Amino acid sequence: MKCRVCRGPAVIDVRRHNAAFCRDHFLAHCTEQVRRTISEHKMIGPGERVLVAVSGGKDSLALWDLLQRLEYDVDGLYLGLGIGDYSDESGRYAREFARSRNLKLHEIDLAADFGYTIPEAAAATRRPPCGACGLSKRHLFDQVAMERGYDVVVTGHNLDDEAAVLLGNVLRWETEYLARQHPVLPARSGFPRKAKPLVRLAERETAAYCVLVGIDYIVEECPMAEGNRHLGYKAVLNELERQSPGTKAAFLHGFVDRASPRFASAASEHSLQTCASCGAPTSGEICAFCRLQSRVRAQ
Ligand code: Q46
Ligand code: ZN
Ligand code: ZN
């Protein structure tokens, strides 16, 4: 196996690109994929301030590293979810990454700052934990970005994540979700722009990137992900990818380029007002985040 660029010994093959790379050219390849994604979807403008949602896992740390390599002005935000040892350990990786590179990491702890943990929220709502978790993350990333003057929030969703979400949305014809599934969502009143610069990199590649750069990350998956439908979708897509490399990328990028505009009319345009409790934009009187908090408190 030889590097496509320099013909030296390769350390990784990327079957969907029909290519193998040595360490340095693999890192350059990943950087180029991210640079292209950002430029193609106009994710980050010159001089803009970027906030990366950091979980301590491979994707978010690789993303933070890649954005630095591309010389963006980027700080991190870590959210303590209160998911036992998993949260303690993932926080340590996020802090250590920031400390070792002298980067700025904001931190919010759900239990200390808002009085609940994700397991408590899941119990109070009697719904799968990922619902309350996703809602809390979206709300707090938006809030921190708006309060502290960031132009864009970026997340480490990779090709595998996005293809699995797309498959789930297609299987149920969730047209409203399909209308919003895009690598970049523009800012609107009270919300920052949101972008996913890793959609061209597969999970295996962000893991390899971290190993080759020497980034330590939490390897365990969140223990609450069990039973999450997306794990099944990922397994199905992996099997398709094994039989026919490039399927995942064709599925996702084909959707973004050719199919997603057809769902635009399904996006519901709620008129937004201000949450009476926290001031965030919301379609009701009280936003979903504040309603979640009061439900957990009422337990
Ligand atoms: S952290 Fe939260 Fe994920 Fe854990 S509870 Fe679900 S959404 S699986 S990315
Ligand atoms: Zn090379
Ligand atoms: Zn609110």
Side-chain angles (χ1 to χ4, degrees), residues 181-253:
Q181 188 174 357
H182 202 267
V184 64
L185 290 176
R188 50 192 183 115
S189 63
F191 294 110
R193 189 184 320 130
K194 321 240 178 90
K196 299 169 181 166
L198 296 188
V199 292
R200 282 179 190 281
L201 294 181
E203 213 154 273
R204 171 175 170 269
E205 290 143 34
T206 59
Y209 182 91
C210 286
V211 171
L212 293 171
V213 172
I215 298 171
D216 280 332
Y217 61 90
I218 183 158
V219 176
E220 292 84 58
E221 296 289 337
C222 168
M224 308 215 99
E226 227 172 281
N228 185 321
R229 282 199 202 112
H230 290 113
L231 296 179
Y233 299 149
K234 278 189 179 177
V236 169
L237 288 165
N238 283 342
E239 179 54 25
L240 293 173
E241 183 75 17
R242 196 184 60 75
Q243 290 176 27
S244 176
T247 302
K248 266 183 232 176
F251 180 49
L252 180 65
H253 301 308

Side-chain angles (χ1 to χ4, degrees), residues 139 275-280 282 285-291 293:
H139 179 90
C275 170
S277 170
C278 75
T282 171
E285 196 190 328
I286 303 283
C287 78
F289 179 75
C290 289
R291 277 186 276 132
Q293 267 183 281

